[in-house]
Amino acid sequence: MLKKSLKALLTVATGLCMAASVSATEKQSFKVAWSIYAGWMPWAYAADHGIVDKWASKYGIDIEVVQFNDYIESINQFTVGAFDAAGMTNMDALTIPAASGVDTTALILGDYSNGNDGIVLKNGSSMEDIRGRQVNLVELSVSHYFLARALEEYGMSERDIRIVNTSDADAVASFQTPGVTAAAVWNPQLMLIKQQSPEAVQVFDSSQIPGEIIDMMAVNTQVLEANPAFGKALVGAWFETLALMSGDGEEAIKARTFMAERAGTDLAGYDAQLAETMLFYTPADTYAFSTDAALRDTMERVRLFSFDKGLLGNGAPSADVIGMQFADGSTLGDTSNIKLRFDPSFIRMAMEGEL
């Protein structure tokens, strides 16, 4: 999975004034950013095959869907107000736009990693064998969080290992070198490492912490509140596309083959990644996940990790500095500074056939 690199920690100060000036008024044209990952490939199909245009037209608006090769840059562009919505993880939504003061709504919780993130070792057969090693990963990323959770599950902490910051682009090549014996990576890099390094043993994966690494479509809250049609169109296009791609029918295979090619793999490769992605194909399943009390517990873990790593802003006094609101109205953090909202109301409309 594409996740946060260190450059995400650079303050986008020059753009914050743009974000702050996003007009909470009705408008006709919107821009959506996404990047390559199994759970976000439906946006490629929806944009290319007229599904987004169909739903936008239904509500009398225009929606431009833009692919970014650089995941973090797509979030930065959302943060400075150049885009109205962007695909991002739950942790990145908290630590980039929300931490920068941009009120952000998690519109669609599309999936969670259910094996797409893994820890691999050379000369080891269990997670306990990571003790004392250097571990290559994208520091201060969701992979960093994933490693911390894996260590916690096995009664260890970061004091028991040493992190070596490695970009996602270098992950596969670095693991081929003799000095690298441990890595925390995501697909497709995880799959490539296991294919190219016969000695690699996967000792932990994200299916062991289900529901914690969430991939979602986030929307600027001001834009969404002033333009509910935008939210309706995105949700409608999303679930129409998921319905088309599911199953083994000819249309579904064509859709997934298109997504696979856009992702740089083949149908078998993409289906293998989907098998390790808990993609919520129906509004009912998405709604159930979005309203589960476990989401609050997950975000409690994420915010504590983020604060510990200094990702909630310079001089943040505690993890409470940024407020979050959940479907039931409950909150975490500063209620006077709510900047991340989990709002499944548009998903409920889809579930009840009201779009």
Side-chain angles (χ1 to χ4, degrees):
M1 177 188 295
L2 296 172
K3 297 183 177 76
K4 183 188 303 180
S5 65
L6 287 177
K7 66 180 177 178
L9 303 180
L10 297 175
T11 303
V12 288
T14 56
L16 291 182
C17 58
M18 293 173 59
S21 66
V22 172
S23 177
T25 58
E26 290 186 22
K27 60 180 192 173
Q28 297 300 118
S29 299
F30 304 86
K31 295 180 70 175
V32 177
W34 72 280
S35 50
I36 298 290
Y37 173 64
W40 287 322
M41 296 314 301
W43 290 112
Y45 187 86
D48 187 84
H49 288 73
I51 298 174
V52 170
D53 287 344
K54 167 189 166 183
W55 281 89
S57 178
K58 177 177 180 178
Y59 291 105
I61 59 177
D62 294 313
I63 300 176
E64 180 184 2
V65 180
V66 180
Q67 178 189 335
F68 276 73
N69 294 325
D70 186 327
Y71 165 65
I72 292 303
E73 183 58 23
S74 72
I75 304 177
N76 287 341
Q77 289 298 309
F78 169 82
T79 301
V80 300
F83 282 76
D84 303 294
M88 63 188 75
T89 68
N90 52 324
M91 178 174 154
D92 291 333
L94 175 65
T95 61
I96 306 180
S100 298
V102 178
D103 197 324
T104 303
T105 293
L107 178 71
I108 304 170
L109 303 187
D111 70 82
Y112 64 78
S113 177
N114 198 38
N116 266 322
D117 295 72
I119 296 171
V120 287
L121 303 179
K122 295 174 184 173
N123 305 314
S125 58
S126 70
M127 187 64 196
E128 286 88 351
D129 294 326
I130 203 171
R131 192 184 298 272
R133 299 198 190 201
Q134 296 183 170
V135 184
N136 286 51
L137 52 71
V138 180
E139 193 174 9
L140 303 177
S141 70
V142 176
S143 284
H144 195 157
Y145 169 82
F146 167 62
L147 173 66
R149 288 287 289 116
L151 292 169
E152 179 186 341
E153 290 289 303
Y154 280 81
M156 293 181 279
S157 72
E158 290 186 49
R159 291 188 298 271
D160 296 300
I161 53 94
R162 186 165 73 86
I163 288 172
V164 177
N165 184 43
T166 308
S167 73
D168 58 312
D170 295 332
V172 178
S174 68
F175 200 80
Q176 311 305 313
T177 62
V180 177
T181 66
V185 290
W186 58 86
N187 274 324
Q189 289 90 337
L190 176 61
M191 185 178 297
L192 290 171
I193 284 175
K194 290 190 289 186
Q195 290 173 348
Q196 297 177 19
S197 302
E199 71 273 36
V201 175
Q202 182 170 301
V203 296
F204 195 87
D205 69 60
S206 51
S207 68
Q208 293 166 265
I209 53 166
E212 294 191 30
I213 302 175
I214 305 167
D215 304 295
M216 61 195 199
M217 179 55 69
V219 181
N220 181 290
T221 301
Q222 288 182 306
V223 172
L224 183 63
E225 288 179 348
N227 302 275
F230 179 48
K232 292 178 182 179
L234 288 180
V235 170
W238 176 254
F239 285 111
E240 178 173 336
T241 306
L242 263 57
L244 286 172
M245 67 182 283
S246 62
D248 296 319
E250 182 179 353
E251 188 172 28
I253 290 174
K254 285 182 178 179
R256 296 202 308 278
T257 298
F258 173 88
M259 297 177 201
E261 291 172 352
R262 284 289 296 271
T265 185
D266 56 17
L267 178 61
Y270 182 58
D271 280 348
Q273 292 181 37
L274 282 178
E276 295 180 335
T277 305
M278 184 58 71
L279 190 61
F280 301 116
Y281 284 93
T282 68
D285 287 344
T286 309
Y287 188 79
F289 181 74
S290 302
T291 56
D292 194 313
L295 177 60
R296 179 187 169 94
D297 296 336
T298 291
M299 293 312 298
E300 172 71 5
R301 290 182 182 275
V302 168
R303 76 180 189 131
L304 291 177
F305 172 85
S306 300
F307 172 69
D308 182 62
K309 301 302 178 186
L311 301 178
L312 299 184
N314 294 330
S318 74
D320 286 333
V321 67
I322 298 172
M324 291 183 276
Q325 186 173 57
F326 300 89
D328 62 358
S330 66
T331 61
L332 286 173
D334 187 351
T335 56
S336 67
N337 188 41
I338 301 293
K339 295 300 179 186
L340 182 58
R341 306 168 192 271
F342 294 89
D343 178 9
S345 60
F346 290 85
I347 303 298
R348 186 176 64 246
M349 291 179 198
M351 185 172 65
E352 297 174 352
E354 296 178 354
L355 293 181

